């Protein structure tokens, strides 16, 4: 049997790397789509373009040692959004959405973690559930 | 065939490696764990440690090409990582160190163990680095750990692992080329 050439072996190596990278992108895409449908991943949009994806683990990291989840303010800061006047928050269910002007943002608006990796936005002051299973946070100038 | 020496270090000790080779590989394995523990490169890019991690793995495998070399280096660095308490995975951190070594052992014969070739070295380093990323991901999912390295996305993470692993592999290939002729009297 003819021995495989060295260059061909190198090409197989390149193929393995490309396969792994393509698989990584595929896994990322599939898990992102699945996570968004389940409300387990929150997309942060700045003027319509995506600036960050957050899951409950990322939110817990932003919250740090606080017992309750992070405030909406700290999440927006962590996501690195620019100047904005309105924040629009959407839930997994299509009809659930709310707009909050910047001046209305306070540390009372916090995320509360669900047991299934989802997060709800609540108003601590009025003990009111604003959005269940948050899927998108968008800021507009 | 290797010549028997008085101390018997050329006899097969582990896999097809002599005792002297295993001891040398132990040194490389130790170097990986210690460098990972000591160095604090402020790069904040996932996989940046692959530049020396995979570099040392490829260097060790290039200088001692017998099957099992990668596993010895990975095993030694894995045990040390557990003992030094590296990572958040507890005892499972062993696999994070062992798997790239195992992958180097499996992938090097594909390149006829010619790791002194910069392209082969780069490919070996990159594939080993990607295996490290894969085991990191698997352990993270299994143990439900926060996977900070995934905040920029798995796709981009895989590219950064490839780049740093390949860079380590190229450096190792250059070193192998320079060192191999000078190490003929190792036995």
């Amino acid at each position: 049997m003819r021995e495989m050439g060295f260059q061909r072996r190198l090409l197989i190596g390149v193929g393995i790397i490309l396969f792994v990278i393509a698989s990584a992108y595929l896994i990322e895409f599939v898990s992102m789509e699945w996570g968004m449908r389940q409300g387990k991943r929150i997309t942060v949009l700045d003027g319509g373009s995506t600036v960050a994806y957050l899951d409950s683990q990322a939110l817990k990291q932003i919250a740090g040692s606080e017992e309750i989840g992070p405030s909406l303010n700290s999440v927006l800061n962590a996501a690195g959004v620019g100047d904005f006047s309105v924040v629009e928050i959407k839930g997994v269910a299509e009809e659930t959405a709310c707009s909050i002007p910047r001046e209305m943002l306070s540390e009372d608006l916090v995320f509360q973690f669900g047991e299934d990796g989802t997060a709800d936005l609540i108003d601590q002051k009025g003990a009111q559930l604003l959005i269940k299973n948050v899927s998108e946070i968008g800021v507009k100038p | 065939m290797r010549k028997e020496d008085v101390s018997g270090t050329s006899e097969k000790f582990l896999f097809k490696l002599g005792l002297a080779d295993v001891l040398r590989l132990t040194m490389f394995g130790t170097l990986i764990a210690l460098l990972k523990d000591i160095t604090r490169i402020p790069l904040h890019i996932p996989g940046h440690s692959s530049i020396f991690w995979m570099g040392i793995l490829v260097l060790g495998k290039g200088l001692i090409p017998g099957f099992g070399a990668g596993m010895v280096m990975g095993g030694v660095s894995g045990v040390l990582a557990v003992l030094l308490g590296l990572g958040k995975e507890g005892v499972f951190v062993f696999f994070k160190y062992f798997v790239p070594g195992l992958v180097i052992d499996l992938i090097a014969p594909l390149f006829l163990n010619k790791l002194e070739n910069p392209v082969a070295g780069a490919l070996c380093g990159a594939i080993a680095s990607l295996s490290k990323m894969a085991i990191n991901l698997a352990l993270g999912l299994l143990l439900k750990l926060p996977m900070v390295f995934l905040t920029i996305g798995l796709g981009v993470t895989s590219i950064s692992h490839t780049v740093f692993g390949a860079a380590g592999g190229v450096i190792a290939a250059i070193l192998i080329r320079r060192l191999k002729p000078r190490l003929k009297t190792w036995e």
Side-chain angles (χ1 to χ4, degrees):
Chain A
M1 212 175 95
R2 236 182 95 207
E3 187 80 10
M4 200 194 300
F6 189 63
Q7 282 192 337
R8 199 164 183 185
R9 288 167 185 269
L10 293 178
L11 282 176
I12 293 172
V14 173
I16 293 170
I17 292 171
L18 291 177
F19 174 75
V20 176
I21 292 174
S23 305
Y25 272 103
L26 184 70
I27 292 168
E28 184 185 340
F29 177 76
V30 171
S31 69
M32 203 173 284
E33 285 292 309
W34 181 80
M36 276 176 202
R37 271 186 212 156
Q38 304 283 316
K40 290 181 181 175
R41 197 177 279 258
I42 301 168
T43 312
V44 184
L45 302 160
D46 187 353
S49 55
T50 307
V51 289
Y53 293 107
L54 304 166
D55 57 8
S56 59
Q57 285 181 344
L59 290 177
K60 277 174 190 164
Q61 279 195 336
I62 296 167
S65 55
E66 288 171 42
E67 271 186 32
I68 200 149
S71 66
L72 180 58
N73 262 333
S74 52
V75 169
L76 290 172
N77 285 335
V81 295
D83 203 20
F84 63 92
S85 57
V86 181
V87 188
E88 201 173 84
I89 297 138
K90 286 179 186 169
V92 173
E94 275 179 28
E95 66 273 17
T96 54
C98 73
S99 291
I100 306 165
R102 188 172 193 161
E103 53 275 12
M104 296 281 283
L105 285 181
S106 73
E107 290 302 308
D108 290 320
L109 296 176
V110 295
F111 287 91
Q112 192 176 47
F113 303 116
E115 282 178 7
D116 56 349
T118 56
D120 305 331
L121 183 70
I122 60 163
D123 183 359
Q124 279 194 103
K125 212 174 177 181
Q128 187 190 359
L129 174 70
L130 297 177
I131 301 286
K132 190 162 176 60
N133 293 354
V134 176
S135 64
E136 191 182 298
I137 303 168
V139 294
K140 285 175 185 170
Chain B
M1 215 173 116
R2 282 181 175 174
K3 222 174 143 185
E4 285 291 322
D5 65 356
V6 182
S7 61
T9 49
S10 292
E11 282 176 34
K12 278 164 196 156
F13 177 72
L14 196 65
F15 301 109
K16 286 179 178 176
L17 303 161
L19 177 62
D21 284 342
V22 173
L23 290 173
R24 286 167 194 135
L25 291 165
T26 304
M27 182 190 74
F28 284 117
T30 309
L31 208 58
I32 293 169
L34 290 183
L35 272 176
K36 179 79 177 138
D37 193 24
I38 295 165
T39 52
R40 296 278 182 273
I41 307 167
L43 262 175
H44 305 295
I45 303 171
H48 70 270
S49 60
S50 288
I51 201 160
F52 62 81
W53 184 336
M54 302 313 147
I56 295 168
L57 273 180
V58 174
L59 179 65
K61 181 72 183 173
L63 293 176
I64 305 157
F67 182 78
M71 278 191 270
V72 173
M73 286 187 283
V76 169
S77 55
V79 169
L80 274 172
V82 173
L83 294 176
L84 292 170
L86 303 180
K88 305 172 197 112
E89 299 89 348
V91 289
F92 294 101
V93 78
F94 173 82
F95 296 103
K96 198 170 133 182
Y97 285 79
F98 180 72
V99 169
L102 175 72
V103 167
I104 285 266
D105 266 343
L106 296 175
I107 209 79
L110 175 68
F111 308 116
L112 309 168
N113 286 316
K114 288 180 182 172
L115 301 186
E116 65 275 13
N117 181 305
V119 183
L123 292 174
C124 248
I127 294 170
S129 182
L130 285 169
S131 75
K132 187 199 92 178
M133 183 199 76
I135 196 77
N136 243 343
L137 179 69
L139 286 175
L141 292 172
L142 204 73
L143 305 172
K144 292 181 179 163
L145 296 170
M147 289 179 278
V148 183
F149 68 100
L150 283 184
T151 46
I152 60 165
L154 189 59
V156 178
T157 303
S158 68
I159 289 175
S160 70
H161 272 80
T162 305
V163 170
F164 285 110
V170 170
I171 295 167
I174 295 164
L175 287 172
I176 295 165
R177 200 172 267 191
R178 296 295 299 271
L179 287 173
K180 224 172 183 177
R182 290 169 173 80
L183 296 176
K184 280 191 173 156
T185 52
W186 264 30
E187 292 295 319

